[in-house]
Amino acid sequence: MNRSLFLSEWERMWKRKITWLFLIAMPAVVAATAKYYAGHNRGISPASAEYTWAGNFPVMALIEQLIVVFNVMSLILLTLSVTEEYRSGQIRMVMLRSFTAGQLLRAKWLAHMAVMALYFTVYLLLSVAAGLLFFEPHDHIQLFYHDHTVPLKGMIGYTLLYYGLAFLSVLAIGSVFMAAAVISRTTTGAVGLGLGFLLCSLGFPLIYELANRVGGLGLPGMLKYLSLTEIQYSGIAVMLGQAQAVSSEAAALTALLVGLGYAAVFGVGSLLVFSKSDRWM
């Protein structure tokens, strides 16, 4: 990997106003999420896993915004990085230099990963601050898919793991968005394909569970995690769960295989299409 090419792509990412706009908007997103959960707490028992304390607000805030906010940010950034640069001819200028198409695509992907990692880090820090500011502290917190409460110290490791797995899930979906950006000739087409995938991913678990129940198919419930958004919605919490009623190991294995499958198929596919010698002529 050429370091200068990566730095060039990193700089190009930050030359776009939208990259800065996403970053600047994060305090407002966290504040709006805190306001929502503060109101939600009024109708929830403090013993419920849905109740928000200072210690679990960073996780609750990510659960609320992961599927829409972080996935859409990833989609837009990848579309601008690939499709928009192709449409405007900027990619052709880079291709005139001594870099292969594969090197260029990898640099764009690594720059995207770095930006998304920064977004997750900033969101985590803002959520920690908002949790301490707007919510009451509590020594033991009830979490989803846990038979027992978790001490405040244990929440630190849980939160970091949750954010790490959420980040990987966004990268897995990002591989699909990258493929959409590579095959699309217009930004509208790339965004449309990406949003279409998100809608299909959101709808699949509902249709699968309905067909399984009504049709009496008896298919494994874990197959709903073929949907990446379902992994984001409930799979991460199940993977980190400590309850006898859930199979955390099976969920983790399923999510890992599904995530790797998406990344391999769409990542390799993007590279093959992007590397076509006649694409940039």
Side-chain angles (χ1 to χ4, degrees):
M1 180 65 221
N2 190 291
R3 184 171 179 271
S4 64
L5 182 56
F6 166 76
L7 292 176
S8 173
E9 290 300 325
W10 170 263
E11 292 173 358
R12 291 163 75 86
M13 293 280 284
W14 290 103
K15 286 181 180 179
R16 300 187 183 95
K17 293 180 180 179
I18 192 69
T19 309
W20 287 101
L21 181 61
F22 286 153
L23 185 63
I24 295 170
M26 283 193 178
V29 173
V30 173
T33 306
K35 182 178 180 181
Y36 165 76
Y37 278 118
H40 186 66
N41 275 357
R42 299 190 187 102
I44 300 295
S45 167
S48 171
E50 295 184 28
Y51 196 88
T52 304
W53 303 94
N56 71 338
F57 176 71
V59 171
M60 299 295 281
L62 185 59
I63 292 174
E64 185 67 21
Q65 305 298 346
L66 178 59
I67 292 179
V68 175
V69 172
F70 282 89
N71 286 336
V72 170
M73 287 194 301
S74 175
L75 171 60
I76 292 175
L77 292 178
L78 283 170
T79 298
L80 293 178
S81 178
V82 179
T83 313
E84 175 62 21
E85 288 191 8
Y86 168 77
R87 189 185 66 82
S88 64
Q90 296 179 54
I91 282 184
R92 292 183 181 88
M93 299 301 294
V94 178
M95 294 295 292
L96 292 176
R97 299 154 65 185
S98 57
F99 299 117
T100 67
Q103 287 176 323
L104 177 57
L105 189 67
R106 285 192 291 270
K108 287 183 175 297
W109 179 248
L110 289 175
H112 176 73
M113 287 178 58
V115 171
M116 293 306 299
L118 176 63
Y119 284 167
F120 270 92
T121 302
V122 171
Y123 193 83
L124 172 59
L125 295 175
L126 290 172
S127 297
V128 170
L132 295 173
L133 183 61
F134 295 111
F135 298 95
E136 299 177 3
H138 199 269
D139 292 336
H140 290 80
I141 299 173
Q142 183 63 54
L143 297 175
F144 294 106
Y145 305 107
H146 277 66
D147 289 334
H148 305 287
T149 58
V150 176
L152 193 56
K153 290 183 178 180
M155 279 303 303
I156 297 175
Y158 182 89
T159 300
L160 292 176
L161 282 173
Y162 203 104
Y163 270 73
L165 292 172
F167 172 68
L168 292 177
S169 73
V170 169
L171 293 185
I173 294 182
S175 68
V176 181
F177 296 157
M178 176 66 87
V182 166
I183 66 175
S184 300
R185 298 288 179 166
T186 65
T187 55
T188 302
V191 172
L193 285 175
L195 292 178
F197 172 79
L198 281 180
L199 290 175
C200 290
S201 189
L202 287 168
F204 171 76
L206 300 176
I207 297 174
Y208 174 77
E209 291 184 341
L210 180 63
N212 207 17
R213 183 173 63 253
V214 175
L217 303 178
L219 297 174
M222 284 296 170
L223 288 182
K224 67 181 180 180
Y225 292 128
L226 290 174
S227 162
L228 290 174
T229 53
E230 184 64 21
I231 292 175
Q232 293 180 327
Y233 177 70
S234 66
I236 297 174
V238 172
M239 282 188 277
L240 298 178
Q242 295 180 9
Q244 293 183 352
V246 299
S247 179
S248 300
E249 295 79 6
L253 179 60
T254 302
L256 175 63
L257 293 176
V258 169
L260 289 175
Y262 274 97
V265 171
F266 288 96
V268 173
S270 298
L271 186 60
L272 291 175
V273 174
F274 196 82
S275 300
K276 287 178 61 177
S277 60
D278 62 341
R279 181 172 176 80
W280 313 111
M281 301 302 290

Coordinates of all heavy atoms in Angstrom, one line a residue, residues 52-137:
T52 N -32.5 4.3 30.4 CA -31.2 4.9 30.1 C -30.6 5.5 31.3 O -31.2 6.4 32.0 CB -31.3 5.9 29.0 OG1 -31.9 5.3 27.8 CG2 -29.9 6.4 28.6
W53 N -29.3 5.1 31.6 CA -28.5 5.7 32.7 C -27.3 6.4 32.1 O -27.1 6.2 30.9 CB -28.1 4.7 33.7 CG -29.2 3.9 34.4 CD1 -29.7 2.7 34.0 CD2 -29.9 4.3 35.5 NE1 -30.7 2.3 34.8 CE2 -30.8 3.2 35.8 CE3 -29.9 5.4 36.4 CZ2 -31.7 3.3 36.8 CZ3 -30.8 5.4 37.4 CH2 -31.7 4.4 37.7
A54 N -26.6 7.1 32.9 CA -25.3 7.7 32.3 C -24.4 6.6 31.8 O -23.7 6.8 30.8 CB -24.6 8.5 33.5
G55 N -24.3 5.5 32.4 CA -23.4 4.4 32.1 C -23.7 3.7 30.8 O -22.8 3.3 30.1
N56 N -25.0 3.6 30.4 CA -25.4 2.9 29.2 C -25.8 3.8 28.1 O -26.1 3.3 27.0 CB -26.4 1.8 29.5 CG -27.8 2.4 29.8 OD1 -27.9 3.6 30.2 ND2 -28.8 1.6 29.7
F57 N -25.8 5.1 28.3 CA -26.3 6.0 27.3 C -25.4 5.9 26.0 O -26.0 5.9 24.9 CB -26.3 7.5 27.7 CG -26.6 8.4 26.6 CD1 -27.9 8.5 26.1 CD2 -25.7 9.2 26.1 CE1 -28.3 9.3 25.1 CE2 -26.0 10.1 25.0 CZ -27.3 10.1 24.5
P58 N -24.1 5.8 26.1 CA -23.3 5.7 24.8 C -23.8 4.5 24.0 O -23.8 4.6 22.7 CB -21.9 5.5 25.3 CG -21.8 6.2 26.6 CD -23.2 5.9 27.3
V59 N -24.1 3.4 24.6 CA -24.6 2.2 23.8 C -26.0 2.5 23.3 O -26.3 2.2 22.1 CB -24.6 0.9 24.7 CG1 -25.3 -0.2 23.9 CG2 -23.2 0.5 25.0
M60 N -26.9 3.0 24.1 CA -28.2 3.3 23.7 C -28.2 4.4 22.6 O -29.0 4.3 21.6 CB -29.0 3.8 24.9 CG -29.2 2.8 26.0 SD -30.1 1.4 25.6 CE -31.8 2.0 25.7
A61 N -27.3 5.3 22.6 CA -27.3 6.4 21.6 C -26.8 5.8 20.3 O -27.3 6.2 19.2 CB -26.3 7.5 22.1
L62 N -25.9 4.8 20.3 CA -25.5 4.1 19.1 C -26.5 3.2 18.5 O -26.7 3.2 17.3 CB -24.2 3.3 19.4 CG -23.5 2.7 18.1 CD1 -23.1 3.7 17.1 CD2 -22.3 1.9 18.5
I63 N -27.3 2.5 19.4 CA -28.4 1.7 18.9 C -29.4 2.5 18.1 O -29.9 2.1 17.1 CB -29.0 1.0 20.1 CG1 -28.1 -0.1 20.7 CG2 -30.3 0.3 19.7 CD1 -28.6 -0.7 22.0
E64 N -29.7 3.7 18.6 CA -30.7 4.6 18.0 C -30.3 5.1 16.7 O -31.1 5.3 15.8 CB -31.0 5.7 19.0 CG -32.1 6.6 18.5 CD -33.5 6.0 18.5 OE1 -33.6 5.0 19.3 OE2 -34.4 6.4 17.8
Q65 N -29.0 5.3 16.5 CA -28.5 6.0 15.2 C -27.7 5.1 14.3 O -27.4 5.6 13.2 CB -27.7 7.2 15.6 CG -28.4 8.2 16.6 CD -29.6 8.8 16.0 OE1 -29.9 8.7 14.8 NE2 -30.4 9.5 16.8
L66 N -27.3 3.9 14.7 CA -26.4 3.1 13.9 C -26.9 2.8 12.5 O -26.3 3.0 11.5 CB -26.1 1.8 14.6 CG -25.2 0.8 13.9 CD1 -23.8 1.4 13.6 CD2 -25.0 -0.5 14.7
I67 N -28.2 2.3 12.4 CA -28.7 1.8 11.1 C -28.8 2.9 10.1 O -28.5 2.8 9.0 CB -30.0 1.0 11.3 CG1 -29.7 -0.3 12.1 CG2 -30.6 0.7 10.0 CD1 -31.0 -1.1 12.4
V68 N -29.4 4.0 10.6 CA -29.7 5.1 9.6 C -28.5 6.1 9.5 O -27.9 6.2 8.4 CB -30.9 5.9 10.1 CG1 -31.1 7.1 9.1 CG2 -32.2 5.0 10.0
V69 N -28.1 6.7 10.6 CA -27.1 7.7 10.5 C -25.7 7.2 10.0 O -25.2 7.7 9.0 CB -26.9 8.4 11.9 CG1 -25.7 9.4 11.8 CG2 -28.2 9.2 12.2
F70 N -25.2 6.2 10.6 CA -23.8 5.8 10.3 C -23.8 5.1 8.9 O -22.8 5.3 8.1 CB -23.3 4.9 11.4 CG -22.8 5.6 12.5 CD1 -23.6 5.9 13.6 CD2 -21.4 6.1 12.6 CE1 -23.1 6.7 14.7 CE2 -21.0 6.8 13.7 CZ -21.8 7.1 14.7
N71 N -24.8 4.3 8.6 CA -24.9 3.7 7.3 C -25.0 4.7 6.2 O -24.4 4.6 5.1 CB -26.0 2.6 7.2 CG -25.7 1.4 8.0 OD1 -24.5 1.0 8.2 ND2 -26.7 0.7 8.4
V72 N -25.9 5.7 6.4 CA -26.1 6.7 5.3 C -24.8 7.5 5.2 O -24.4 7.9 4.0 CB -27.3 7.6 5.7 CG1 -27.4 8.8 4.7 CG2 -28.6 6.7 5.6
M73 N -24.1 7.9 6.3 CA -22.9 8.6 6.1 C -21.9 7.8 5.3 O -21.2 8.3 4.4 CB -22.3 8.9 7.5 CG -23.0 10.0 8.3 SD -22.1 10.6 9.7 CE -21.9 9.1 10.7
S74 N -21.8 6.5 5.6 CA -20.9 5.7 4.8 C -21.2 5.6 3.3 O -20.4 5.7 2.5 CB -20.9 4.2 5.4 OG -20.1 3.3 4.6
L75 N -22.5 5.5 3.1 CA -23.0 5.5 1.7 C -22.6 6.7 0.9 O -22.1 6.7 -0.2 CB -24.5 5.2 1.6 CG -25.2 5.4 0.3 CD1 -24.6 4.4 -0.7 CD2 -26.7 5.2 0.5
I76 N -22.9 7.9 1.5 CA -22.7 9.1 0.8 C -21.2 9.4 0.6 O -20.7 9.8 -0.5 CB -23.3 10.3 1.7 CG1 -24.8 10.2 1.6 CG2 -22.8 11.6 1.1 CD1 -25.5 11.2 2.5
L77 N -20.4 9.1 1.6 CA -18.9 9.3 1.5 C -18.3 8.4 0.4 O -17.5 8.8 -0.4 CB -18.2 9.0 2.8 CG -18.5 10.1 3.9 CD1 -17.8 9.7 5.2 CD2 -18.1 11.5 3.5
L78 N -18.7 7.1 0.4 CA -18.2 6.2 -0.7 C -18.7 6.6 -2.1 O -17.9 6.5 -3.0 CB -18.6 4.8 -0.3 CG -17.8 4.1 0.8 CD1 -18.5 2.8 1.1 CD2 -16.4 3.9 0.4
T79 N -19.9 7.1 -2.1 CA -20.4 7.5 -3.4 C -19.6 8.7 -4.0 O -19.3 8.8 -5.1 CB -21.9 7.9 -3.3 OG1 -22.7 6.7 -2.9 CG2 -22.5 8.4 -4.6
L80 N -19.4 9.7 -3.1 CA -18.6 10.9 -3.5 C -17.2 10.5 -3.8 O -16.6 11.1 -4.7 CB -18.7 11.9 -2.4 CG -20.0 12.5 -2.2 CD1 -20.0 13.5 -1.0 CD2 -20.6 13.2 -3.4
S81 N -16.6 9.5 -3.1 CA -15.2 9.2 -3.3 C -15.0 8.4 -4.6 O -13.9 8.6 -5.2 CB -14.8 8.3 -2.1 OG -13.4 7.9 -2.3
V82 N -16.0 7.6 -5.0 CA -15.8 6.8 -6.2 C -16.7 7.3 -7.4 O -16.1 7.8 -8.4 CB -16.2 5.3 -5.9 CG1 -16.0 4.5 -7.2 CG2 -15.3 4.8 -4.8
T83 N -18.0 7.3 -7.2 CA -18.8 7.6 -8.4 C -18.7 9.1 -8.8 O -18.6 9.4 -10.0 CB -20.3 7.3 -8.0 OG1 -20.4 6.0 -7.4 CG2 -21.2 7.4 -9.2
E84 N -18.7 10.0 -7.8 CA -18.7 11.4 -8.1 C -17.3 11.8 -8.8 O -17.3 12.5 -9.7 CB -18.9 12.2 -6.9 CG -18.7 13.7 -7.1 CD -19.7 14.4 -8.0 OE1 -20.7 13.7 -8.3 OE2 -19.4 15.4 -8.6
E85 N -16.3 11.2 -8.3 CA -14.9 11.4 -8.9 C -14.8 10.8 -10.3 O -14.1 11.4 -11.1 CB -13.8 10.9 -8.0 CG -13.6 11.7 -6.7 CD -12.4 11.3 -5.9 OE1 -11.6 10.5 -6.5 OE2 -12.2 11.8 -4.8
Y86 N -15.5 9.7 -10.5 CA -15.5 9.2 -11.9 C -16.3 10.1 -12.8 O -15.9 10.4 -13.9 CB -16.2 7.8 -11.9 CG -16.5 7.3 -13.3 CD1 -15.5 6.8 -14.1 CD2 -17.8 7.4 -13.8 CE1 -15.8 6.4 -15.4 CE2 -18.1 7.0 -15.0 CZ -17.1 6.5 -15.9 OH -17.4 6.1 -17.1
R87 N -17.5 10.5 -12.3 CA -18.3 11.4 -13.2 C -17.6 12.7 -13.5 O -17.8 13.2 -14.6 CB -19.6 11.7 -12.5 CG -20.7 12.4 -13.3 CD -21.9 12.7 -12.5 NE -21.6 13.7 -11.5 CZ -21.5 15.1 -11.7 NH1 -21.7 15.5 -12.9 NH2 -21.2 15.9 -10.7
S88 N -16.9 13.3 -12.5 CA -16.3 14.6 -12.8 C -14.9 14.4 -13.5 O -14.3 15.4 -13.8 CB -16.1 15.3 -11.4 OG -15.2 14.5 -10.6
G89 N -14.4 13.2 -13.6 CA -13.1 13.0 -14.3 C -11.9 13.0 -13.3 O -10.8 12.9 -13.8
Q90 N -12.1 13.2 -12.0 CA -11.0 13.3 -11.1 C -10.2 12.0 -11.0 O -9.0 12.0 -10.9 CB -11.5 13.7 -9.7 CG -12.1 15.1 -9.7 CD -12.6 15.5 -8.3 OE1 -11.9 15.4 -7.3 NE2 -13.9 15.8 -8.2
I91 N -10.9 10.9 -11.1 CA -10.2 9.6 -11.0 C -9.3 9.4 -12.2 O -8.2 8.9 -12.0 CB -11.3 8.4 -10.9 CG1 -11.9 8.4 -9.5 CG2 -10.6 7.1 -11.3 CD1 -12.8 7.2 -9.3
R92 N -9.7 9.9 -13.3 CA -8.8 9.7 -14.5 C -7.5 10.5 -14.3 O -6.4 10.0 -14.7 CB -9.5 10.3 -15.8 CG -10.7 9.5 -16.2 CD -11.3 10.1 -17.5 NE -12.5 9.3 -17.9 CZ -13.7 9.6 -17.6 NH1 -13.9 10.5 -16.7 NH2 -14.7 8.9 -18.0
M93 N -7.5 11.6 -13.6 CA -6.3 12.4 -13.3 C -5.4 11.6 -12.4 O -4.2 11.5 -12.6 CB -6.7 13.7 -12.7 CG -7.5 14.6 -13.6 SD -6.7 15.0 -15.1 CE -5.3 15.9 -14.6
V94 N -6.0 10.9 -11.4 CA -5.2 10.1 -10.5 C -4.6 8.9 -11.3 O -3.4 8.5 -11.1 CB -6.0 9.6 -9.3 CG1 -5.2 8.7 -8.4 CG2 -6.5 10.8 -8.6
M95 N -5.4 8.3 -12.2 CA -4.9 7.1 -13.0 C -3.8 7.4 -13.9 O -3.1 6.5 -14.4 CB -6.1 6.5 -13.7 CG -7.2 6.0 -12.9 SD -6.7 4.5 -11.9 CE -6.5 3.3 -13.2
L96 N -3.6 8.7 -14.2 CA -2.5 9.1 -15.1 C -1.2 9.0 -14.3 O -0.1 8.9 -15.0 CB -2.7 10.5 -15.6 CG -3.8 10.7 -16.6 CD1 -4.0 12.2 -16.9 CD2 -3.6 9.9 -17.8
R97 N -1.2 8.9 -13.0 CA 0.0 8.8 -12.2 C 0.4 7.3 -12.1 O -0.4 6.4 -12.6 CB -0.2 9.4 -10.8 CG -0.5 10.9 -10.9 CD -1.3 11.3 -9.7 NE -0.5 11.2 -8.4 CZ -1.1 11.4 -7.2 NH1 -2.3 11.8 -7.1 NH2 -0.3 11.3 -6.2
S98 N 1.5 7.0 -11.5 CA 2.0 5.6 -11.5 C 1.3 4.8 -10.4 O 2.0 4.2 -9.6 CB 3.5 5.6 -11.3 OG 3.8 6.3 -10.1
F99 N 0.0 4.7 -10.4 CA -0.7 3.8 -9.5 C -1.7 2.9 -10.3 O -2.3 3.4 -11.3 CB -1.6 4.7 -8.5 CG -0.7 5.6 -7.7 CD1 -0.9 7.0 -7.8 CD2 0.2 5.1 -6.8 CE1 -0.1 7.8 -7.0 CE2 1.0 6.0 -6.0 CZ 0.8 7.3 -6.1
T100 N -1.9 1.7 -9.8 CA -2.8 0.8 -10.4 C -4.2 1.1 -9.9 O -4.4 1.7 -8.8 CB -2.5 -0.6 -10.1 OG1 -2.6 -0.9 -8.7 CG2 -1.0 -0.9 -10.6
A101 N -5.2 0.6 -10.6 CA -6.6 0.8 -10.2 C -6.8 0.1 -8.8 O -7.5 0.6 -7.9 CB -7.5 0.2 -11.2
G102 N -6.2 -1.1 -8.6 CA -6.3 -1.8 -7.3 C -5.7 -1.0 -6.2 O -6.3 -0.9 -5.1
Q103 N -4.6 -0.4 -6.4 CA -4.0 0.5 -5.4 C -4.9 1.7 -5.0 O -5.0 2.0 -3.9 CB -2.6 1.0 -5.8 CG -1.5 -0.1 -5.8 CD -0.2 0.4 -6.4 OE1 -0.2 1.2 -7.3 NE2 0.9 0.0 -5.8
L104 N -5.5 2.3 -6.1 CA -6.3 3.4 -5.8 C -7.6 3.0 -5.0 O -7.9 3.8 -4.1 CB -6.7 4.0 -7.2 CG -7.7 5.2 -7.1 CD1 -7.1 6.3 -6.3 CD2 -8.0 5.7 -8.6
L105 N -8.2 1.9 -5.4 CA -9.4 1.5 -4.7 C -9.1 1.2 -3.2 O -9.9 1.5 -2.3 CB -10.1 0.3 -5.4 CG -11.4 -0.1 -4.9 CD1 -12.4 1.0 -5.2 CD2 -11.9 -1.4 -5.5
R106 N -8.0 0.5 -3.0 CA -7.6 0.1 -1.6 C -7.3 1.4 -0.8 O -7.7 1.5 0.4 CB -6.4 -0.8 -1.6 CG -6.7 -2.2 -2.0 CD -5.5 -3.2 -1.7 NE -4.4 -2.9 -2.6 CZ -4.2 -3.5 -3.8 NH1 -5.1 -4.3 -4.2 NH2 -3.2 -3.2 -4.5
A107 N -6.7 2.4 -1.4 CA -6.4 3.6 -0.7 C -7.7 4.3 -0.4 O -7.9 4.9 0.7 CB -5.6 4.5 -1.6
K108 N -8.7 4.3 -1.3 CA -10.0 5.0 -1.0 C -10.7 4.2 0.1 O -11.3 4.9 1.0 CB -10.8 4.9 -2.3 CG -10.4 5.9 -3.3 CD -11.3 5.9 -4.5 CE -11.0 7.0 -5.5 NZ -11.1 8.4 -5.0
W109 N -10.6 2.9 0.1 CA -11.3 2.1 1.2 C -10.6 2.4 2.5 O -11.3 2.5 3.5 CB -11.2 0.7 0.8 CG -11.9 -0.2 1.8 CD1 -11.3 -1.1 2.7 CD2 -13.3 -0.3 2.2 NE1 -12.2 -1.7 3.5 CE2 -13.4 -1.2 3.2 CE3 -14.4 0.4 1.7 CZ2 -14.6 -1.5 3.8 CZ3 -15.6 0.1 2.3 CH2 -15.7 -0.8 3.3
L110 N -9.3 2.4 2.6 CA -8.6 2.7 3.8 C -8.9 4.1 4.4 O -9.0 4.3 5.6 CB -7.1 2.4 3.7 CG -6.7 1.0 3.5 CD1 -5.2 0.9 3.2 CD2 -7.0 0.1 4.7
A111 N -8.9 5.0 3.5 CA -9.3 6.4 3.9 C -10.7 6.4 4.4 O -11.0 7.1 5.4 CB -9.1 7.4 2.7
H112 N -11.6 5.7 3.8 CA -13.0 5.7 4.3 C -13.0 5.0 5.6 O -13.7 5.5 6.5 CB -13.8 4.9 3.3 CG -15.2 4.7 3.7 ND1 -16.2 5.7 3.7 CD2 -15.9 3.6 4.2 CE1 -17.3 5.2 4.1 NE2 -17.2 4.0 4.5
M113 N -12.3 3.9 5.8 CA -12.3 3.3 7.1 C -11.8 4.2 8.2 O -12.3 4.3 9.3 CB -11.3 2.0 7.1 CG -11.9 0.8 6.3 SD -10.7 -0.5 6.3 CE -10.4 -0.8 8.0
A114 N -10.7 5.0 7.9 CA -10.1 5.9 8.9 C -11.1 7.0 9.2 O -11.3 7.4 10.4 CB -8.9 6.5 8.3
V115 N -11.9 7.5 8.2 CA -12.9 8.6 8.5 C -14.0 8.0 9.4 O -14.4 8.6 10.4 CB -13.4 9.1 7.2 CG1 -14.6 10.1 7.5 CG2 -12.3 9.9 6.5
M116 N -14.5 6.8 9.1 CA -15.6 6.2 9.8 C -15.1 5.9 11.3 O -15.9 6.0 12.2 CB -16.1 5.0 9.1 CG -16.8 5.2 7.8 SD -18.2 6.4 7.9 CE -19.2 5.6 9.1
A117 N -13.9 5.4 11.4 CA -13.3 5.2 12.8 C -13.3 6.5 13.6 O -13.6 6.5 14.8 CB -11.9 4.6 12.6
L118 N -12.9 7.6 12.9 CA -12.9 8.9 13.6 C -14.3 9.3 14.0 O -14.6 9.7 15.1 CB -12.3 9.9 12.7 CG -12.3 11.4 13.2 CD1 -11.5 11.5 14.5 CD2 -11.8 12.3 12.2
Y119 N -15.3 9.1 13.1 CA -16.7 9.4 13.5 C -17.2 8.6 14.7 O -17.8 9.1 15.6 CB -17.6 9.1 12.3 CG -17.5 10.1 11.1 CD1 -18.1 9.8 9.9 CD2 -16.9 11.3 11.3 CE1 -18.0 10.7 8.8 CE2 -16.9 12.2 10.3 CZ -17.4 11.9 9.0 OH -17.4 12.8 8.0
F120 N -16.9 7.3 14.7 CA -17.3 6.4 15.8 C -16.6 6.9 17.1 O -17.3 6.9 18.2 CB -16.9 5.0 15.5 CG -18.0 4.2 14.9 CD1 -18.0 4.1 13.5 CD2 -19.0 3.6 15.6 CE1 -19.0 3.4 12.8 CE2 -20.0 2.8 15.0 CZ -20.0 2.8 13.6
T121 N -15.3 7.3 17.0 CA -14.6 7.7 18.2 C -15.2 9.0 18.8 O -15.5 9.2 20.0 CB -13.1 7.9 17.9 OG1 -12.6 6.7 17.4 CG2 -12.4 8.4 19.2
V122 N -15.5 10.0 17.9 CA -16.1 11.3 18.3 C -17.5 11.0 18.9 O -17.8 11.6 19.9 CB -16.1 12.2 17.1 CG1 -16.9 13.5 17.4 CG2 -14.7 12.6 16.7
Y123 N -18.2 10.2 18.2 CA -19.6 9.9 18.7 C -19.6 9.3 20.1 O -20.4 9.6 20.9 CB -20.3 9.0 17.7 CG -21.8 8.9 17.9 CD1 -22.7 9.9 17.4 CD2 -22.3 7.8 18.6 CE1 -24.0 9.8 17.6 CE2 -23.7 7.7 18.9 CZ -24.6 8.7 18.4 OH -25.9 8.6 18.6
L124 N -18.6 8.4 20.3 CA -18.5 7.7 21.6 C -18.1 8.8 22.7 O -18.7 8.8 23.8 CB -17.4 6.7 21.5 CG -17.0 6.0 22.9 CD1 -18.2 5.4 23.6 CD2 -15.9 5.0 22.7
L125 N -17.2 9.6 22.4 CA -16.8 10.6 23.4 C -17.9 11.6 23.7 O -18.1 12.0 24.9 CB -15.5 11.4 22.9 CG -14.3 10.6 22.7 CD1 -13.1 11.4 22.1 CD2 -13.8 10.0 24.1
L126 N -18.6 12.0 22.7 CA -19.7 12.9 22.9 C -20.8 12.3 23.7 O -21.5 12.9 24.5 CB -20.3 13.4 21.5 CG -19.4 14.4 20.7 CD1 -20.0 14.6 19.3 CD2 -19.2 15.7 21.5
S127 N -21.1 11.0 23.4 CA -22.1 10.2 24.1 C -21.8 10.0 25.6 O -22.6 10.1 26.5 CB -22.4 8.9 23.4 OG -22.8 9.1 22.1
V128 N -20.5 9.8 25.9 CA -20.1 9.7 27.3 C -20.3 11.0 28.0 O -20.9 11.0 29.1 CB -18.6 9.3 27.3 CG1 -18.1 9.4 28.8 CG2 -18.4 7.9 26.8
A129 N -20.0 12.1 27.3 CA -20.2 13.4 28.0 C -21.6 13.7 28.2 O -22.1 14.2 29.2 CB -19.5 14.5 27.1
A130 N -22.5 13.4 27.1 CA -23.9 13.7 27.2 C -24.5 12.8 28.3 O -25.5 13.2 29.0 CB -24.6 13.4 25.9
G131 N -24.1 11.5 28.4 CA -24.6 10.6 29.4 C -24.4 11.2 30.8 O -25.3 11.1 31.7
L132 N -23.2 11.7 31.1 CA -22.8 12.2 32.4 C -23.6 13.5 32.7 O -23.9 13.8 33.8 CB -21.3 12.5 32.5 CG -20.4 11.3 32.4 CD1 -19.0 11.7 32.4 CD2 -20.7 10.4 33.6
L133 N -23.9 14.3 31.6 CA -24.6 15.5 31.7 C -26.1 15.4 31.9 O -26.7 16.1 32.7 CB -24.3 16.4 30.5 CG -24.8 17.8 30.5 CD1 -24.2 18.6 31.7 CD2 -24.5 18.5 29.2
F134 N -26.7 14.5 31.2 CA -28.2 14.5 31.1 C -28.8 13.3 31.9 O -30.0 13.3 32.1 CB -28.6 14.4 29.7 CG -28.3 15.6 28.9 CD1 -27.3 15.5 27.9 CD2 -28.9 16.8 29.1 CE1 -27.0 16.6 27.1 CE2 -28.6 17.9 28.4 CZ -27.7 17.9 27.4
F135 N -28.0 12.3 32.3 CA -28.6 11.1 32.9 C -28.0 10.8 34.3 O -26.8 11.2 34.5 CB -28.5 9.9 32.0 CG -29.2 10.1 30.7 CD1 -28.5 10.5 29.6 CD2 -30.6 9.8 30.6 CE1 -29.2 10.7 28.4 CE2 -31.2 10.0 29.4 CZ -30.6 10.4 28.3
E136 N -28.8 10.1 35.1 CA -28.3 9.8 36.5 C -27.3 8.6 36.4 O -27.5 7.7 35.6 CB -29.5 9.4 37.4 CG -30.5 10.5 37.6 CD -31.7 10.0 38.4 OE1 -31.6 8.9 38.9 OE2 -32.6 10.8 38.6
P137 N -26.3 8.7 37.3 CA -25.4 7.5 37.4 C -26.0 6.4 38.1 O -27.0 6.5 38.9 CB -24.2 8.1 38.2 CG -24.8 9.2 39.0 CD -25.9 9.8 38.2

